[in-house]
Tab-separated table of all heavy atoms in Angstrom:
chain	number	residue	atom	x	y	z
I	176	THR	N	35.283	-23.849	-31.168
I	176	THR	CA	34.129	-22.959	-30.998
I	176	THR	C	33.409	-23.228	-29.680
I	176	THR	O	32.979	-22.308	-28.993
I	176	THR	CB	33.136	-23.148	-32.163
I	176	THR	OG1	33.863	-23.074	-33.386
I	176	THR	CG2	32.057	-22.076	-32.145
I	264	GLY	N	31.713	-14.480	-27.362
I	264	GLY	CA	31.573	-14.780	-28.789
I	264	GLY	C	32.740	-14.230	-29.591
I	264	GLY	O	33.265	-14.904	-30.498
I	267	VAL	N	35.787	-16.264	-29.344
I	267	VAL	CA	35.713	-17.436	-30.217
I	267	VAL	C	36.094	-17.058	-31.656
I	267	VAL	O	36.814	-17.802	-32.331
I	267	VAL	CB	34.303	-18.064	-30.176
I	267	VAL	CG1	34.209	-19.216	-31.155
I	267	VAL	CG2	33.982	-18.530	-28.778
I	268	VAL	N	35.642	-15.873	-32.086
I	268	VAL	CA	36.011	-15.428	-33.437
I	268	VAL	C	37.528	-15.414	-33.576
I	268	VAL	O	38.096	-15.941	-34.538
I	268	VAL	CB	35.437	-14.010	-33.718
I	268	VAL	CG1	36.008	-13.454	-35.023
I	268	VAL	CG2	33.925	-14.062	-33.782
I	271	ILE	N	38.901	-18.939	-33.757
I	271	ILE	CA	38.649	-19.577	-35.061
I	271	ILE	C	39.660	-19.070	-36.097
I	271	ILE	O	40.294	-19.850	-36.813
I	271	ILE	CB	37.205	-19.295	-35.542
I	271	ILE	CG1	36.189	-20.023	-34.647
I	271	ILE	CG2	37.021	-19.738	-36.999
I	271	ILE	CD1	34.744	-19.675	-34.941
I	291	ALA	N	31.999	-20.077	-42.808
I	291	ALA	CA	30.854	-20.805	-42.252
I	291	ALA	C	30.915	-20.826	-40.728
I	291	ALA	O	29.921	-20.579	-40.039
I	291	ALA	CB	30.814	-22.222	-42.795
I	292	PHE	N	32.102	-21.075	-40.187
I	292	PHE	CA	32.231	-21.148	-38.730
I	292	PHE	C	31.997	-19.802	-38.071
I	292	PHE	O	31.423	-19.740	-36.986
I	292	PHE	CB	33.596	-21.738	-38.338
I	292	PHE	CG	33.500	-23.214	-38.086
I	292	PHE	CD1	33.515	-24.101	-39.151
I	292	PHE	CD2	33.312	-23.710	-36.804
I	292	PHE	CE1	33.383	-25.463	-38.938
I	292	PHE	CE2	33.173	-25.058	-36.578
I	292	PHE	CZ	33.210	-25.947	-37.645
I	293	LEU	N	32.467	-18.752	-38.742
I	293	LEU	CA	32.210	-17.428	-38.170
I	293	LEU	C	30.703	-17.189	-38.078
I	293	LEU	O	30.198	-16.620	-37.110
I	293	LEU	CB	32.897	-16.335	-38.996
I	293	LEU	CG	34.435	-16.341	-38.884
I	293	LEU	CD1	35.049	-15.275	-39.788
I	293	LEU	CD2	34.887	-16.145	-37.438
I	294	GLN	N	30.000	-17.665	-39.094
I	294	GLN	CA	28.539	-17.511	-39.071
I	294	GLN	C	27.883	-18.395	-38.004
I	294	GLN	O	26.990	-17.964	-37.281
I	294	GLN	CB	27.951	-17.861	-40.435
I	294	GLN	CG	27.837	-16.654	-41.332
I	294	GLN	CD	27.168	-17.012	-42.650
I	294	GLN	OE1	26.389	-17.942	-42.747
I	294	GLN	NE2	27.513	-16.256	-43.675
I	295	PHE	N	28.390	-19.638	-37.939
I	295	PHE	CA	27.859	-20.550	-36.913
I	295	PHE	C	28.004	-19.912	-35.548
I	295	PHE	O	27.095	-19.926	-34.719
I	295	PHE	CB	28.650	-21.868	-36.907
I	295	PHE	CG	28.195	-22.836	-37.947
I	295	PHE	CD1	29.120	-23.537	-38.728
I	295	PHE	CD2	26.847	-23.097	-38.145
I	295	PHE	CE1	28.707	-24.442	-39.682
I	295	PHE	CE2	26.430	-24.016	-39.094
I	295	PHE	CZ	27.369	-24.682	-39.872
I	296	ASN	N	29.210	-19.371	-35.348
I	296	ASN	CA	29.516	-18.780	-34.050
I	296	ASN	C	28.509	-17.682	-33.705
I	296	ASN	O	27.966	-17.631	-32.605
I	296	ASN	CB	30.929	-18.214	-34.083
I	296	ASN	CG	31.310	-17.605	-32.746
I	296	ASN	OD1	31.115	-18.228	-31.710
I	296	ASN	ND2	31.813	-16.394	-32.768
I	297	GLU	N	28.223	-16.841	-34.670
I	297	GLU	CA	27.295	-15.744	-34.461
I	297	GLU	C	25.892	-16.264	-34.111
I	297	GLU	O	25.211	-15.761	-33.236
I	297	GLU	CB	27.232	-14.944	-35.745
I	297	GLU	CG	26.898	-13.493	-35.566
I	297	GLU	CD	27.093	-12.787	-36.890
I	297	GLU	OE1	28.263	-12.520	-37.257
I	297	GLU	OE2	26.090	-12.568	-37.568
I	298	MET	N	25.506	-17.340	-34.877
I	298	MET	CA	24.157	-17.866	-34.702
I	298	MET	C	23.992	-18.653	-33.412
I	298	MET	O	22.885	-18.801	-32.894
I	298	MET	CB	23.811	-18.791	-35.871
I	298	MET	CG	23.488	-18.027	-37.141
I	298	MET	SD	23.630	-19.097	-38.575
I	298	MET	CE	22.780	-20.542	-38.023
I	299	PHE	N	25.124	-19.154	-32.926
I	299	PHE	CA	25.070	-20.082	-31.812
I	299	PHE	C	24.624	-19.414	-30.507
I	299	PHE	O	23.941	-20.014	-29.689
I	299	PHE	CB	26.462	-20.694	-31.637
I	299	PHE	CG	26.511	-21.799	-30.633
I	299	PHE	CD1	25.775	-22.952	-30.836
I	299	PHE	CD2	27.288	-21.686	-29.500
I	299	PHE	CE1	25.806	-23.980	-29.931
I	299	PHE	CE2	27.326	-22.720	-28.574
I	299	PHE	CZ	26.591	-23.863	-28.794
I	300	TRP	N	25.040	-18.149	-30.344
I	300	TRP	CA	24.813	-17.514	-29.048
I	300	TRP	C	23.378	-17.050	-28.851
I	300	TRP	O	22.906	-16.920	-27.727
I	300	TRP	CB	25.778	-16.341	-28.840
I	300	TRP	CG	27.181	-16.787	-29.007
I	300	TRP	CD1	28.004	-16.530	-30.055
I	300	TRP	CD2	27.901	-17.649	-28.133
I	300	TRP	NE1	29.214	-17.170	-29.894
I	300	TRP	CE2	29.163	-17.871	-28.719
I	300	TRP	CE3	27.605	-18.270	-26.928
I	300	TRP	CZ2	30.124	-18.681	-28.124
I	300	TRP	CZ3	28.566	-19.073	-26.344
I	300	TRP	CH2	29.807	-19.264	-26.943
Side-chain angles (χ1 to χ4, degrees):
T176 310
V267 176
V268 171
I271 292 173
F292 265 81
L293 290 177
Q294 269 184 27
F295 278 136
N296 181 48
E297 208 171 283
M298 284 161 46
F299 187 62
W300 305 106

